[in-house]
Amino acid sequence: MTGHRTDPPRPEDRGGGAPALLPSLLEDSAEDLYENAPCGYLSTLLNGQIAKINTTLLKWLGYAREELVGLRTFSDLLTAGGRLYHETHFAPLLTMQGAIGGVALELRAADGTRLPVLVTSTVKCGADGRPQLIRTTVFDASDRRAYERELLRARREAEVERERLQRLFATLQRSLLPPSLPAVPGLEAAAYYHIASRDRVSGDFYDVFQLTADRWGFFLGDVCGKGAAAAAVTSLIRYTLRAAAVYDFDPVTVLDTLNTALHRESHGDDPRFCTVIFGILTPDGDGFSVTLASGGHPPCLLLRADGAAEYQTTPDGLLVGVFPGATFTARRIRLAPGDTLLLYTDGLTEARTAAGSTPDGRYGEPALRAFAARLAPAGAAGIIAALAVLLDGFGDGLGDDAAALALGVPSPRARGALTG
Amino acid sequence: MGRSGVSTRNHVKVTGREDGPTVMLAHGFGCDQNMWRLVAPALARDFRVVTFDHVGSGRSDLSAWEAERYAALDGYADDVLRICRELDLPEVVFVGHSVSAMIGVLAAIREPDRFAKLVLLVPSPCYIDDEGYRGGFSRADIEELLESLDSNYLGWSAAMAPVIMGNPDRPELGEELTNSFCRTDPEIARAFARVTFLTDHRADLAKVGVPTLVVDCLQDVIAPPEVGAFVRDQIPGSRLVTLPATGHCPQLSAPEATIEAIASFAAHR
């Protein structure tokens, strides 16, 4: 409708001077309206027997009145599946509610063809309030049904596509993470990974890999963004870090190389950067020596054999890939027997929880440190298991992806237990 | 699955005489325990009446529904036994409507001591026609039913899910909605339809060792008269009563006759 409006002609405007005819008089027969209404009418007794049916419905179905009235039931007109639906849903609801509307059924015409209809029924009660008969209106719904079928088909297709996509994401995700952590003699390593949504690829990543006979590299980080673009950047980061570490064991040089690579790949509207901690592990007496550098990543936590838990901050260390001349600084840590180093992404500390330690209700670094202090001393597997329980308890509060990597030197007692 | 309690899981309601014999009313495929609304109050005068919603129906805990568990009637029978155990119900007179008749049969075979009697209201151990057996339907008919379910559940997820999941932000939706007695998640409805109409439990009937009353209707397009007679013939010592009723839900279409049939059999020692 547009804003244009035409006034209906007034009776006296009509030519010929004939007596004015009220439009309502054109529809002067209730009987004719019933018989030839643009919808089907049907009245049935409480046992379903057809008591009255209008001409429109008879025409649609191709039956003569005397073939149906007093002889057949409403149920007889339905397909077998429709009859089941009628008996298990329609009839009970009609009895309980006295009315039911907009039910989709199919009627069987005399020639076997099917007529999709929308059915509305009400129970007519007598003066004593007891149900007497059922009045039913039947609308031709062929077009609507075709449309709905298309909707259903599209929905099923969308569901199948979504599953396919989720499988693809899961495969892609697996390809970005080590299938298992390598065995490092004298070191216990464990990792945790939580993906917030099955509908996209996470931007968190980690790895542990061997460089020489007695040297291992490890990293854990978080790519800016999520999804396919983040997956591509993660892939770039992984092979750059692994390749750079082969040529130079200095974490600062490795992060410099990554910074250059990411910055070169970065375009104005497609920034590519990440936060990451990269480190080198070398055996050192009864423990390990760790050299690590951070590029804008939350500090790792060191759980000491004596029960202490402290963040290991690194000076400098900006986001990797943003500034061409970013500088990184390395830090050395010694892992003695019983010590464990925990790296994590901010999905963990940013989770919303009642147990939070920040003013805006996030879990926060203070709470994580307290959590670690309660655990310490603890082995890598033990810490990761406890973290998994903790994160599970966050429920919906854990809105983002989260990853954690623990590297620990088993204490002599634990080692004895492992080997003995 | 925790023991979160059957009262929430199955929305169990206990009414009637505390010291009376226990009558447990189990609804069939399609609706929920509201199906017993014309029958339960009368039975409550003499009996302790237990009604519940099968998991996936009515106001049961939809999150407790698992495709695997409810892919066979045994999952539902297991729930019935669990309700009996948790409420410590002894000598239960189990009244099962439609598919719940077979659920009762399975439960009574597993723990016969739990049940005093079985009332099978319009039962059918097998809806699909087979050689020498008329169940009344073909596989294609059941596929048609699934289609009917689909077309009548269009838009369900959007409109109904917040209500059934108890969305706290939209309390105005909490009120009882039209047709809500017979609505549930479409996926669950499909699964329940399949397990109801496509399983064959004819061989289980002979294993029933509990006194059983079979009740059918004069005219029922879902459970034709020969099916009622078949069930009577297969369950040792069972009796068949045919109610002067039409349709598949005599507890709604002929409540007085249904009450009479249940009460006289349940009270009879």
Side-chain angles (χ1 to χ4, degrees), chain A residues 357-371:
Chain A
S357 61
T358 72
D360 60 346
R362 300 187 184 272
Y363 187 61
E365 289 181 8
L368 180 62
R369 200 194 69 82
F371 173 79

Side-chain angles (χ1 to χ4, degrees), chain A residues 186 284-288 303-306 334-340 377 408-413 415:
Chain A
D284 175 10
D286 57 355
F288 273 84
L303 285 74
R304 289 289 188 194
D306 65 3
R334 184 168 188 282
L335 289 183
D339 292 349
T340 303
V409 179
S411 62
R413 248 180 57 205
R415 210 178 300 179

Side-chain angles (χ1 to χ4, degrees), chain A residues 46-48 73 75-76 79-85 87-89 91-93 95-97 99-106 114 118 130 144-145 148-149 151-152 155-156, chain B residues 29-31 34-35 37-38 137 141-142 144-145 147-155 157 177-182 190 197 219-222 246-249 252-253 256:
Chain A
L46 296 178
N47 64 10
T73 64
S75 219
D76 291 336
T79 58
R83 257 202 305 282
L84 283 171
Y85 188 80
E87 293 295 325
T88 53
H89 290 73
L93 275 177
T95 313
M96 287 192 270
Q97 299 177 163
I100 181 168
V103 175
L105 291 169
E106 278 192 330
R114 289 157 182 238
L118 281 179
R130 290 182 79 87
R144 196 189 104 144
R145 201 63 54 81
E148 285 175 353
R149 237 176 239 141
L151 277 182
L152 275 177
R155 190 170 73 187
R156 285 201 193 112
Chain B
F29 165 76
C31 299
N34 277 290
M35 290 295 283
R37 53 165 57 178
L38 302 182
F137 297 91
D141 295 338
I142 305 307
E144 258 178 11
L145 167 67
E147 250 179 59
S148 284
L149 286 175
D150 274 351
S151 45
N152 282 298
Y153 281 125
L154 266 179
S157 336
L177 291 180
T178 315
N179 302 358
S180 65
F181 315 126
C182 301
R190 283 180 72 88
F197 293 109
Q219 234 183 69
D220 178 353
V221 296
I222 293 197
T246 49
H248 191 58
C249 304
L252 288 173
S253 63
E256 290 84 4

Side-chain angles (χ1 to χ4, degrees), chain A residues 37-41 56-57 59-61 103-107 114-120 137-146:
Chain A
C39 62
Y41 285 124
T56 306
L57 190 51
K59 268 192 208 156
W60 285 352
L61 296 175
V103 175
L105 291 169
E106 278 192 330
L107 298 184
R114 289 157 182 238
L115 176 69
V117 291
L118 281 179
V119 173
T120 296
T137 317
V138 179
F139 288 97
D140 183 342
S142 315
D143 289 349
R144 196 189 104 144
R145 201 63 54 81

Side-chain angles (χ1 to χ4, degrees), chain A residues 39-323:
Chain A
C39 62
Y41 285 124
L42 183 75
S43 301
T44 48
L45 303 181
L46 296 178
N47 64 10
Q49 203 176 79
I50 297 170
K52 196 172 175 181
I53 182 168
N54 78 341
T55 308
T56 306
L57 190 51
L58 287 170
K59 268 192 208 156
W60 285 352
L61 296 175
Y63 280 112
R65 189 164 317 235
E66 54 276 16
E67 289 178 280
L68 299 181
V69 173
L71 296 176
R72 308 286 289 275
T73 64
F74 177 52
S75 219
D76 291 336
L77 298 177
L78 300 173
T79 58
R83 257 202 305 282
L84 283 171
Y85 188 80
H86 180 264
E87 293 295 325
T88 53
H89 290 73
F90 192 99
L93 275 177
L94 184 59
T95 313
M96 287 192 270
Q97 299 177 163
I100 181 168
V103 175
L105 291 169
E106 278 192 330
L107 298 184
R108 282 188 312 183
D111 64 3
T113 55
R114 289 157 182 238
L115 176 69
V117 291
L118 281 179
V119 173
T120 296
S121 292
T122 54
V123 176
K124 181 189 182 259
C125 293
D128 58 355
R130 290 182 79 87
Q132 277 184 330
L133 48 81
I134 297 161
R135 287 170 166 167
T136 300
T137 317
V138 179
F139 288 97
D140 183 342
S142 315
D143 289 349
R144 196 189 104 144
R145 201 63 54 81
Y147 169 64
E148 285 175 353
R149 237 176 239 141
E150 193 52 33
L151 277 182
L152 275 177
R153 197 191 55 74
R155 190 170 73 187
R156 285 201 193 112
E157 222 163 67
E159 277 163 11
V160 170
E161 282 303 307
R162 182 163 180 245
E163 272 169 36
R164 214 172 59 88
L165 208 54
Q166 286 180 341
R167 275 200 303 276
L168 180 69
F169 285 149
T171 310
L172 183 57
Q173 190 81 68
R174 274 199 302 277
S175 77
L176 296 174
L177 294 172
S180 64
L181 295 174
V184 180
L187 188 89
E188 188 189 14
Y192 170 88
Y193 205 79
H194 166 82
I195 300 165
S197 164
R198 296 211 297 144
D199 290 320
R200 53 172 173 68
V201 181
S202 155
D204 291 2
F205 60 91
Y206 67 84
D207 203 357
V208 180
F209 55 102
Q210 187 161 17
L211 285 164
T212 63
D214 60 352
R215 188 176 276 112
W216 285 265
F218 66 90
F219 55 81
L220 176 140
D222 185 356
V223 167
C224 152
K226 296 179 191 335
V233 179
T234 305
S235 176
L236 171 68
I237 292 168
R238 275 172 56 84
Y239 68 69
T240 306
L241 287 175
R242 273 175 165 256
V246 170
Y247 293 106
D248 197 317
F249 305 139
D250 177 11
V252 170
T253 314
V254 171
L255 287 191
D256 278 340
T257 307
L258 179 65
N259 189 56
T260 307
L262 284 182
H263 191 258
R264 194 178 297 151
E265 291 286 322
S266 218
H267 311 286
D269 54 347
D270 179 24
R272 299 188 169 181
F273 54 89
C274 69
T275 67
V276 64
I277 289 181
F278 180 90
I280 298 283
L281 283 161
T282 46
D284 175 10
D286 57 355
F288 273 84
S289 168
V290 180
T291 318
L292 56 80
S294 168
H297 199 80
C300 52
L301 250 176
L302 181 58
L303 285 74
R304 289 289 188 194
D306 65 3
E310 294 303 335
Y311 283 109
Q312 306 294 305
T313 51
T314 43
D316 304 328
L318 296 165
L319 283 174
V320 186
V322 180
F323 310 103

